[in-house]
Amino acid sequence: PPMPPGIRAGASGFQLPAAAGAQRMGGAPPGIGPAAARAASSSLPAPPRGASLLPTDEAMKGLAQGTDIGAGGTNAASNPLMEEERRNPVPSPAEEVCDKIAFEMNNLMKDNVAAKGATIRALTQDQGSLAMAWFANLLVCKRCAHEQNHQSTYLELLEAVGLRALWAEVLRRTLHSVRIMLRSPSCRGATQERTLLKNLGHWLGLLTLHRDKPLLRRDLDLKALVVEAYARGFLQVVVPFACKVIACTKESRVFATPNPWTNAMLALLFEVHRTPELKLNLTFEVEVLCNTLGVKMTVVPPSQVLANVRIDGGGFDTKQGSGGLSMTNFGGTASTWSSQLPVVTSTPLGPPTAGPGDAPLGDQGEALSRLQGPGAHAA
């Protein structure tokens, strides 16, 4: 029988034209150059393996001095995601396409996810990778980062669109946004930025662990991130984010407990939970995670990963605050930190008295009473 138009026979079977194959895989359609189609994706490089994802010391000093230190940091009044988009704008397709996609997103509801997904699929396929990168930025930075309650709907939308290339682009944009938030010097003190990071953590968990997809260490080493946050005083930023990611394993068939990776992360968080004088909101985050997963702390023993971690940051996330005691004030390892702190008792000191058979206190008792002050024994 005659072959359909546009299909030719090759040595390995029937082959599609190059343009049609590129559109099917999310590539650039005719009329859009390859450089423009790859512009957005090439602007999202992954950090080198082993590189720190937290702010540098220079960035923290620049924040304390109230100066803008460049690409690695922002001032406290700005949104890091908006600041990144201002510095590195995402290439957009035709204005008409952008308006149509924005209209579909503004009218998205649970009841019309399938219809909206079909429309967005047609629009993104017509424009190729350029439209996918722009839509991924819109979905991640301007929707999911601010609307955790609607993230399940956005996940259904991606399933309705059904483009593998779009899934990869959304995941790439999500990881890039997480790195931006973690590198923000103001994230430790700004509640709004930490909320954005938590929302991105939940979205990242939905994209990966919830769908039985692993969170690769080359993309984000969650365990190393928690250990570094413990050492440098960024638990306030990292622990809520990590808890949101791991909470998405609840309905997973692969990563639900007792999965070894999930149990290892829980054991590390339980060890953080046992840190003396840990801030109350951090202990609460870990306990909420246990309730979400239905896991008791007695079932998974805490790890010993942090026992030999040296705290070399400027402050520890305890009830004393960021300006409290740090490991650099004492020297030594984390295992000896608590043993070097003075033991404070709640028993009030009474007036010095002489026991049976003891010599009178004399001048020593009077001197001790003077040191304690006239109101030392007031009720």
Side-chain angles (χ1 to χ4, degrees):
M3 288 182 294
I7 298 181
R8 59 186 177 87
S12 58
F14 297 113
Q15 299 177 0
L16 291 173
Q23 292 186 35
R24 184 174 183 180
M25 296 304 295
I32 298 181
R38 295 192 302 265
S41 297
S42 62
S43 63
L44 306 178
R49 175 170 290 186
S52 174
L53 296 179
L54 297 177
T56 61
D57 295 338
E58 291 77 8
M60 298 304 297
K61 292 179 181 178
L63 177 65
Q65 297 172 0
T67 58
D68 189 357
I69 45 82
T74 59
N75 54 53
S78 65
N79 183 336
L81 298 180
M82 296 176 60
E83 184 72 13
E84 174 67 16
E85 187 173 357
R86 181 185 66 83
R87 289 175 173 168
N88 301 302
V90 179
S92 60
E95 184 177 358
E96 180 182 359
V97 176
C98 295
D99 293 341
K100 289 182 179 180
I101 293 178
F103 176 81
E104 299 297 330
M105 292 296 295
N106 292 334
N107 293 275
L108 179 66
M109 295 184 298
K110 281 279 188 180
D111 300 334
N112 59 9
V113 170
K116 300 300 181 183
T119 304
I120 294 177
R121 176 189 176 93
L123 292 172
T124 52
Q125 277 188 322
D126 291 341
Q127 298 293 319
S129 299
L130 197 64
M132 290 188 184
W134 184 86
F135 174 68
N137 180 73
L138 171 68
L139 181 64
V140 174
C141 299
K142 299 181 180 179
R143 296 292 181 144
C144 296
H146 300 271
E147 305 172 1
Q148 179 180 338
N149 295 335
H150 298 158
Q151 287 181 359
S152 59
T153 304
Y154 296 141
L155 193 67
E156 294 178 7
L157 176 64
L158 289 178
E159 294 174 352
V161 173
L163 292 177
R164 183 181 302 178
L166 182 59
W167 282 102
E169 189 64 36
V170 170
L171 178 59
R172 189 183 302 113
R173 175 61 61 174
T174 303
L175 290 168
H176 182 66
S177 301
V178 166
R179 297 184 191 114
I180 292 174
M181 297 302 301
L182 289 173
R183 294 280 291 180
S184 172
S186 58
C187 195
R188 184 162 65 173
T191 305
Q192 183 178 3
E193 292 188 16
R194 294 200 302 270
T195 301
L196 293 178
L197 182 60
K198 288 172 61 177
N199 293 344
L200 287 174
H202 187 262
W203 176 245
L204 178 61
L206 289 179
L207 289 176
T208 54
L209 305 178
H210 175 76
R211 299 174 54 239
D212 300 329
K213 306 293 184 181
L215 182 57
L216 301 179
R217 191 170 66 174
R218 69 187 181 193
D219 294 331
L220 181 65
D221 193 343
L222 199 59
K223 181 178 180 180
L225 183 63
V226 174
V227 173
E228 183 184 1
Y230 176 85
R232 298 186 56 198
F234 282 88
L235 291 178
Q236 187 80 357
V237 177
V238 174
V239 167
F241 167 76
C243 290
K244 285 294 184 180
V245 174
I246 300 173
C248 295
T249 62
K250 177 181 179 181
E251 299 179 0
S252 172
R253 295 175 298 175
V254 176
F255 295 100
T257 55
N259 177 272
W261 181 87
T262 305
N263 279 8
M265 288 303 307
L266 289 175
L268 180 60
L269 292 175
F270 292 167
E271 185 180 3
V272 173
H273 183 272
R274 296 180 58 182
T275 302
E277 297 295 322
L278 188 68
K279 285 183 177 179
L280 184 61
N281 66 315
L282 298 183
T283 62
F284 179 73
E285 291 284 353
V286 179
E287 292 168 2
V288 168
L289 174 63
C290 294
N291 293 334
T292 301
L293 300 180
V295 177
K296 296 183 179 180
M297 292 189 180
T298 56
V299 176
V300 180
S303 65
Q304 300 295 327
V305 176
L306 306 178
N308 297 319
V309 175
R310 178 179 177 83
I311 301 178
D312 55 2
F316 191 68
D317 285 326
T318 61
K319 294 179 181 178
Q320 287 91 347
S322 60
L325 299 173
S326 65
M327 183 60 68
T328 55
N329 300 121
F330 296 94
T333 61
S335 59
T336 61
W337 178 47
S338 59
S339 62
Q340 298 183 34
L341 292 177
V343 179
V344 180
T345 59
S346 59
T347 305
L349 295 176
T353 56
D358 291 343
L361 293 174
D363 296 338
Q364 295 180 0
E366 296 177 1
L368 183 58
S369 299
R370 286 196 301 270
L371 289 175
Q372 292 176 342
H377 308 302

